[in-house]
Amino acid sequence: MASRIRAEDFECPLSTTVQHVGEWWTLLILHDAFDGYTRFDQFQESLGISTSMLTARLKTLVADGLLERRPYQTNPVRNEYVLTDLGRSLRPVIVTLAAWGNSRLAPEQRSMILVDATSGEEVEPVVVDANTGRPLHDSRAYVFAAGPAASPAMRARYPRSGGAAADEPAPTEERGLRNRQA
């Protein structure tokens, strides 16, 4: 059976992230952890996941540094699984995935929405550039580029380091978009 992993996948941040959180149960366990679940039986009851699958997923989440395993009882020893800083940093990803799922539904079909904890008002998550506050949804305005550690294969895939090269004029359509947004 051929491997699904290409050489450039080992350096691609999307590929390496998916290795950690791309499995169905992993995302659901993290979602439950964000809801405050910490104990094995809580995860199992909430998700209806088999003992062996939950054990394997929790072990991977701990090994990847997303959850920390801590004893909460000594006799018999029982552990809880608490989000680490690295695990908590995935909350915007989970929120964005849920928002994307909701965007495909009519408002009356949504079983879970994100609300402001104080006001109770529904909020709509948007991924923005931290420097400009501009939404990142436009794939013509924001593109991936080879980073400083990029291999030749990654540089071949993403030849520009951002913006048009001095001898490469920007496409007319993109230039028009930039002028309208300015």
Side-chain angles (χ1 to χ4, degrees):
M1 177 181 224
S3 172
R4 295 184 314 176
I5 298 178
R6 304 164 299 171
E8 61 265 27
D9 289 337
F10 290 108
E11 68 177 308
C12 173
L14 182 58
S15 296
T16 55
T17 299
V18 168
Q19 288 177 355
H20 296 287
V21 298
E23 201 273 331
W24 162 270
W25 289 116
T26 299
L27 289 173
L28 296 177
I29 291 166
L30 288 170
H31 177 251
D32 277 1
F34 286 119
D35 283 349
Y37 295 18
T38 60
R39 298 186 178 174
F40 189 96
D41 57 330
Q42 292 174 319
F43 291 118
Q44 192 169 35
E45 183 179 335
S46 170
L47 300 172
I49 185 174
S50 72
T51 301
S52 61
M53 180 61 75
L54 180 56
T55 299
R57 296 280 53 94
L58 289 172
K59 185 176 182 180
T60 299
L61 287 165
V62 169
D64 288 346
L66 301 174
L67 294 177
E68 178 184 347
R69 184 177 171 201
R70 295 184 195 159
Y72 69 87
Q73 179 179 310
T74 55
N75 193 11
V77 174
R78 297 211 186 261
N79 295 294
E80 63 181 354
Y81 298 86
V82 180
L83 287 160
T84 62
D85 288 342
L86 184 62
R88 281 188 294 279
S89 73
L90 282 168
R91 187 164 194 279
V93 175
I94 302 292
V95 167
T96 303
L97 284 171
W100 181 84
N102 273 343
S103 73
R104 302 175 48 180
L105 301 171
E108 65 275 4
Q109 294 176 314
R110 298 173 182 173
S111 62
M112 177 184 74
I113 59 173
L114 186 67
V115 298
D116 181 292
T118 304
S119 71
E121 293 293 316
E122 185 173 357
V123 296
E124 183 178 349
V126 178
V127 180
V128 299
D129 173 53
N131 292 325
T132 65
R134 290 176 44 205
L136 299 179
H137 64 273
D138 185 348
S139 62
R140 292 177 296 186
Y142 295 97
V143 298
F144 288 106
S151 68
M154 191 63 79
R155 289 182 191 285
R157 180 171 179 162
Y158 301 110
R160 299 186 323 176
S161 61
D167 60 347
E168 179 187 341
T172 307
E173 181 181 5
E174 283 187 54
R175 199 174 318 131
L177 276 174
R178 285 190 198 118
N179 291 339
R180 283 194 299 270
Q181 290 176 347

